[in-house]
Amino acid sequence: DTLRILLIIIAIAYPLTLVVATGGGAFLAGRALSPIDRLTGVARRITAEDLHQRIDLDLPNDEVGRLARTFNDMIARLDDSFSKQRQFTADASHELRTPLTAIKGQTEVALQRDRDVESYKQVLQNVNTQVDRMIRMSGSLLTLARADAGQIPIASEPVNLATIVTDAVEQMSIAAEAKSIEIKIAPGPSVRTFADEDLLLQLMLNLLDNAIKYTPQYGLVRVGWSAVGGAVDVSVSDTGPGIGPEHLPRIFDRFYRADTARSSPNGGAGLGLSISRWIAEAHGGSIKAQSANGSGTTFVVHLPAFK
């Protein structure tokens, strides 16, 4: 009798328990996986043209919640990267179109009727100037593209800072003399930094070229360096028109020019400072600008010193 009763209990309780357990498991699994299902739906709707969507889930700090937040962070980084890429492409196209338009206009005017030799020479000189501008711009774009892809090797070695500054000043002396600009070197202590000599020289040339470009005739450019603790500060100052405080946070952005004076055909494409910032950061340093309207500009490069 006892065994019979036990058999009846098992026959009733086992299927009932199985049904309840299966239904409860399915219900709990559905609730646990529904955020992942919604995450999947959002991921399917996100494309390269629409990276503004986010997973708006009020989730606890568990595995699924951390997954959703990580996914949102990843999409935010991609959105920022794609936006910069689109802006960079648009700016590059605009900057390259400007000299091409100038070349096209010059040649069309020259071909409208017969002209004397001097007129043709003048047209060719103007075209040559625009071609030089395009070559410089293309070289800068290639440098930035290779830097973004990590394809520029950095051969770090102990470098004497005084030698780098002196070489850069000598190379830019002709450009300075053409505008009757004086370059003064304020010698600092004998210090060395661990850097790629060619890249560091390019950084100094970019800063000096920028200073000479925006310093008026008979102006002054100062170059100096100092040792600060375990680091080295190199400064390049000019007596140009200065930069307004509203522009300072963006002057290292690619293709950014602060004003019409810095947007002239002789003002470059706005890539030199971007390359300078990349070089400084690639060496574990930084670069900043100090300026105000009408009081000139000073660029300070902060680099680790070699001990």
Side-chain angles (χ1 to χ4, degrees):
D1 290 339
T2 301
L3 291 175
R4 190 179 298 109
I5 294 173
L6 181 60
L7 180 61
I8 295 172
I9 293 174
I10 291 175
I12 296 174
Y14 183 79
L16 183 61
T17 303
L18 184 61
V19 171
V20 172
T22 302
F27 174 74
L28 293 177
R31 290 197 59 182
L33 296 176
S34 61
I36 296 180
D37 187 58
R38 281 182 284 170
L39 189 152
T40 303
V42 173
R44 287 176 176 171
R45 292 193 298 271
I46 293 176
T47 63
E49 288 74 28
D50 182 15
L51 289 170
H52 301 294
Q53 296 193 50
R54 297 294 183 271
I55 302 171
D56 187 16
L57 300 177
D58 186 15
L59 297 173
N61 190 27
D62 56 8
E63 289 79 1
V64 177
R66 289 193 293 272
L67 174 63
R69 282 183 280 275
T70 302
F71 187 83
N72 280 340
D73 292 340
M74 180 189 70
I75 294 301
R77 291 193 299 270
L78 287 174
D79 188 17
D80 181 65
S81 177
F82 272 76
S83 296
K84 289 181 178 178
Q85 184 182 28
R86 285 191 289 266
Q87 184 64 41
F88 181 74
T89 303
D91 290 340
S93 301
H94 173 74
E95 294 293 338
L96 289 171
R97 186 171 61 241
T98 301
L100 288 173
T101 303
I103 291 173
K104 179 68 174 176
Q106 292 278 348
T107 54
E108 284 184 346
V109 171
L111 293 173
Q112 284 179 355
R113 60 182 177 82
D114 293 336
R115 301 176 182 274
D116 56 45
V117 175
E118 290 302 320
S119 298
Y120 285 123
K121 283 184 178 181
Q122 183 63 43
V123 170
L124 289 175
Q125 288 176 355
N126 294 336
V127 170
N128 188 60
T129 299
Q130 297 298 333
V131 170
D132 286 341
R133 181 184 178 190
M134 291 180 64
I135 291 173
R136 291 194 302 270
M137 192 184 309
S138 300
S140 298
L141 288 172
L142 179 60
T143 298
L144 289 171
R146 293 178 61 197
D148 290 342
Q151 296 178 353
I152 298 181
I154 299 178
S156 295
E157 58 184 358
V159 175
N160 189 303
L161 194 60
T163 302
I164 295 294
V165 172
T166 303
D167 289 347
V169 171
E170 288 179 355
Q171 292 187 37
M172 297 303 299
S173 60
I174 296 178
E177 290 174 1
K179 293 181 65 176
S180 300
I181 293 173
E182 181 184 4
I183 302 180
K184 280 189 176 181
I185 300 179
S190 178
V191 292
R192 294 188 298 170
T193 182
F194 205 64
D196 186 303
E197 185 173 356
D198 292 336
L199 289 178
L200 192 57
L201 178 61
Q202 183 179 358
L203 186 154
M204 292 303 305
L205 290 174
N206 287 348
L207 294 182
L208 285 172
D209 178 68
N210 186 80
I212 293 171
K213 195 174 293 178
Y214 300 115
T215 297
Q217 193 173 18
Y218 307 112
L220 176 65
V221 174
R222 295 184 180 89
V223 185
W225 67 89
S226 61
V228 183
V232 176
D233 283 351
V234 186
S235 63
V236 177
S237 303
D238 63 55
T239 54
I243 304 172
E246 69 276 13
H247 299 296
L248 281 177
R250 296 195 57 197
I251 60 172
F252 294 103
D253 293 349
R254 299 173 184 183
F255 295 108
Y256 185 78
R257 270 80 59 95
D259 50 39
T260 55
R262 292 178 176 263
S263 301
S264 63
N266 296 325
L271 295 174
L273 292 180
S274 298
I275 294 175
S276 298
R277 179 176 62 178
W278 169 77
I279 294 174
E281 293 177 349
H283 288 85
S286 61
I287 182 172
K288 62 180 180 180
Q290 303 167 352
S291 181
N293 285 322
S295 62
T297 304
T298 298
F299 288 92
V300 180
V301 181
H302 187 76
L303 296 170
F306 176 73
K307 297 181 181 179

